[in-house]
Amino acid sequence: MEESIVCPICGIFLQEPYIRCVECHHSFCLQCFAKGREYENHKNNHSYTVMRNNFTLLDSDWLAYEEIKLLNAVADHGIGNWSEIAKDVGTRNKIECEEHYLQHYIYNPVSPLPEIQLEEPSGEIYHPTPVACTNFSQDPPRPVVGSTMYQEMAGYMPSRGDFSYEHDDFAELDIKELAFEDDDPLWNDLQMAVLDIYQSRLKERCRRKWLIKEYGLLNTKRNLEDSKRYAILGSTFLDTMKPLIHLFKPHKFYKFMEGILWEHKAKQRIQLLQECRSAGITRSHSISTYLRLKRKQDENKRRNKRTALDEVLSRIKDEGSCHSLIRKQVLKDGPIEGGPGRRPAPPLNIATMLGFDKLTSKERDLCSSLRIIPSSFLQYKSTLINEYRKLGSLRLANARSVIKIDVNKTRKIYDLLLEEGLISKS
């Protein structure tokens, strides 16, 4: 039923069934029609039709008035809020509303809806379905609104399986005033052209969701450091592999990493075989015996080797000999940490590392001096801010218990967050 239609004679809002004149296109209530009243150029002998909506339209179980309520509810609440939509429909539950809408209005539109002839995309076909963050984690992250993780996830809401803002979010404004006229084919063609444009924008929106879902871009746990399986490759090598995460689909990327892992193990095996060959081993079944004997020999060497502390304890009674031994050991091992002869580590060049553009100038200087990579710093920062919001305050002792790194680095990160006003002690 059209909204805000009133009877021009008595002024009441029209509800089905009501009468529409075929010749002059005026609509009247049943009471005025039964009394034969006339209005302007409308005469009571004109042809007419009865407007009603208690018939089936697209589904034998759904009446026309239920279809209208469903479409109005979707327009008011948006696709996905099926609980609220079902309340407005009144006669259907949320599962029935969702299945009916997707089946008849999204995946399989049929007459009397306008038929939109579009070319099928080559390759993948994208459907406007929610993006579920379940590629690698059964419990999707739920970041705090405004946090760094929330921004990295582009406003994704795991509970709804959708984003707070759609791509091309105002595309629907261009079609809200569309109307088709029975006697103006040129106007109807223009309206169909607008619908074609809107459909292409919807396809682009769905394509972007499909890319996010297929490539696992929402999963913050998709991190190489979290996988102990690849720890044998070394942290430096894993850092160089990080940019490839966003270029491969998840299964292809980890298939690629498995190949690198097996290559690394093959090289280790070749080195072992070369070592065994140089030791005179010519049979593969003798390798395990060789490794066991070598391990036992190394343990015996460590057990029999006297440490510098043992030497000091043996000469503790002779003060001059003890000081002489300590001086020799210091000269042998180099100056102690913090001594005048120790050079500080050079600053780390982080300009080309992932996450550098997300740091402020102070944070960049701190990461460079402390030799912390930007992505790790952002993770520490997010962890401390979330802990502060949870507790209402954050002290240095709490910060040290949350992030397990060097205490001096923790203190400097903590002081920087205090200085920027992101956290407070009380």
Side-chain angles (χ1 to χ4, degrees):
M1 182 186 72
E2 299 180 9
E3 294 184 357
S4 302
I5 297 181
V6 297
C7 177
I9 299 176
C10 63
I12 66 171
F13 287 98
L14 297 180
Q15 296 181 350
E16 290 87 357
Y18 63 93
I19 305 301
R20 170 165 290 182
C21 179
V22 177
E23 299 181 19
C24 60
H25 305 294
H26 288 299
S27 299
F28 305 96
C29 64
L30 295 178
Q31 290 77 9
C32 294
F33 175 77
K35 295 178 181 179
R37 293 182 177 178
E38 298 179 347
Y39 175 77
E40 293 182 352
N41 60 343
H42 170 71
K43 304 300 178 181
N44 54 20
N45 60 352
H46 283 180
S47 300
Y48 66 92
T49 181
V50 180
M51 305 298 295
R52 58 187 180 86
N53 59 9
N54 59 345
F55 55 90
T56 59
L57 184 63
L58 303 176
D59 192 322
S60 59
D61 294 334
W62 281 68
L63 298 178
Y65 75 90
E66 292 178 313
E67 301 280 358
I68 295 174
K69 288 184 177 180
L70 175 64
L71 295 178
N72 290 335
V74 170
D76 292 339
H77 302 289
I79 299 177
N81 295 326
W82 300 112
S83 298
E84 297 297 328
I85 292 173
K87 291 180 181 178
D88 287 1
V89 174
T91 56
R92 304 288 176 173
N93 57 39
K94 61 179 183 179
I95 297 177
E96 292 174 333
C97 292
E98 179 180 6
E99 292 178 350
H100 181 79
Y101 185 81
L102 294 179
Q103 178 182 357
H104 295 284
Y105 293 95
I106 299 297
Y107 299 137
N108 187 29
V110 296
S111 179
L113 294 177
E115 295 184 1
I116 303 175
Q117 300 295 335
L118 295 175
E119 297 181 359
E120 290 294 332
S122 58
E124 300 289 345
I125 298 177
Y126 313 113
H127 297 295
T129 55
V131 180
C133 185
T134 57
N135 287 341
F136 302 100
S137 173
Q138 296 300 324
D139 185 17
R142 290 172 171 80
V144 179
V145 176
S147 63
T148 303
M149 184 183 298
Y150 180 84
Q151 296 175 358
E152 290 177 351
M153 294 176 66
Y156 176 69
M157 298 177 292
S159 299
R160 288 184 56 185
D162 212 335
F163 295 87
S164 56
Y165 296 97
E166 295 279 5
H167 167 68
D168 202 355
D169 203 27
F170 298 98
E172 286 73 16
L173 295 178
D174 296 333
I175 63 169
K176 69 175 185 177
E177 302 293 341
L178 287 184
F180 292 89
E181 301 292 342
D182 296 336
D183 54 352
D184 193 346
L186 179 59
W187 172 260
N188 293 337
D189 291 342
L190 291 175
Q191 303 303 296
M192 292 301 300
V194 174
L195 284 178
D196 291 342
I197 297 173
Y198 173 68
Q199 188 74 7
S200 64
R201 297 164 76 178
L202 286 184
K203 284 194 174 185
E204 175 61 20
R205 183 184 295 175
C206 298
R207 186 186 71 87
R208 295 190 178 217
K209 287 187 178 181
W210 177 84
L211 287 173
I212 291 173
K213 179 180 179 181
E214 288 296 315
Y215 283 79
L217 301 182
L218 291 176
N219 197 331
T220 58
K221 292 187 177 181
R222 191 182 168 194
N223 198 338
L224 292 175
E225 285 87 352
D226 296 334
S227 177
K228 297 181 180 179
R229 180 175 180 81
Y230 305 114
I232 191 175
L233 299 175
S235 58
T236 304
F237 178 79
L238 294 180
D239 288 340
T240 61
M241 292 292 104
K242 284 181 179 179
L244 298 180
I245 291 180
H246 302 294
L247 300 179
F248 287 96
K249 290 185 179 181
H251 63 281
K252 290 185 178 180
F253 174 76
Y254 284 100
K255 185 177 181 180
F256 169 72
M257 289 301 300
E258 285 295 316
I260 294 179
L261 179 62
W262 282 106
E263 179 189 7
H264 180 78
K265 291 182 177 180
K267 290 181 179 180
Q268 287 186 329
R269 183 69 177 177
I270 292 173
Q271 291 178 356
L272 175 61
L273 293 175
Q274 292 176 345
E275 180 184 352
C276 293
R277 179 58 63 88
S278 63
I281 305 298
T282 58
R283 298 289 185 271
S284 59
H285 60 80
S286 302
I287 295 179
S288 58
T289 305
Y290 166 74
L291 294 177
R292 185 171 65 254
L293 292 177
K294 180 182 178 182
R295 187 165 51 251
K296 186 175 181 181
Q297 183 181 10
D298 293 340
E299 291 177 357
N300 291 334
K301 287 182 180 180
R302 288 195 298 269
R303 191 181 299 112
N304 296 329
K305 183 179 180 180
R306 300 188 69 185
T307 62
L309 179 60
D310 295 332
E311 293 288 343
V312 172
L313 292 177
S314 64
R315 305 185 186 186
I316 195 67
K317 295 182 180 179
D318 188 351
E319 185 176 354
S321 177
C322 180
H323 285 296
S324 176
L325 179 63
I326 293 175
R327 191 178 303 108
K328 290 180 181 179
Q329 188 66 31
V330 169
L331 293 176
K332 178 181 177 182
D333 297 339
I336 61 176
E337 183 178 358
R342 181 177 178 85
R343 295 181 179 179
L348 180 65
N349 183 14
I350 62 174
T352 59
M353 294 185 178
L354 185 65
F356 175 79
D357 55 335
K358 300 178 182 179
L359 302 177
T360 63
S361 58
K362 291 184 179 180
E363 292 173 347
R364 292 174 182 176
D365 296 339
L366 182 65
C367 290
S368 179
S369 61
L370 296 182
R371 299 181 65 81
I372 300 177
I373 62 177
S375 58
S376 298
F377 175 81
L378 292 174
Q379 185 178 0
Y380 301 150
K381 177 182 175 181
S382 176
T383 303
L384 292 178
I385 292 176
N386 290 338
E387 188 69 15
Y388 163 71
R389 291 175 177 174
K390 184 190 302 181
L391 301 177
S393 63
L394 186 68
R395 295 190 173 275
L396 181 58
N398 300 119
R400 289 175 175 173
S401 63
V402 172
I403 54 176
K404 305 295 184 179
I405 59 175
D406 182 71
V407 293
N408 294 323
K409 293 182 179 181
T410 304
R411 177 176 55 79
K412 292 183 179 180
I413 296 175
Y414 177 80
D415 293 339
L416 178 62
L417 296 181
L418 282 178
E419 180 182 351
E420 293 182 348
L422 299 177
I423 60 175
S424 63
K425 295 182 180 180
S426 60

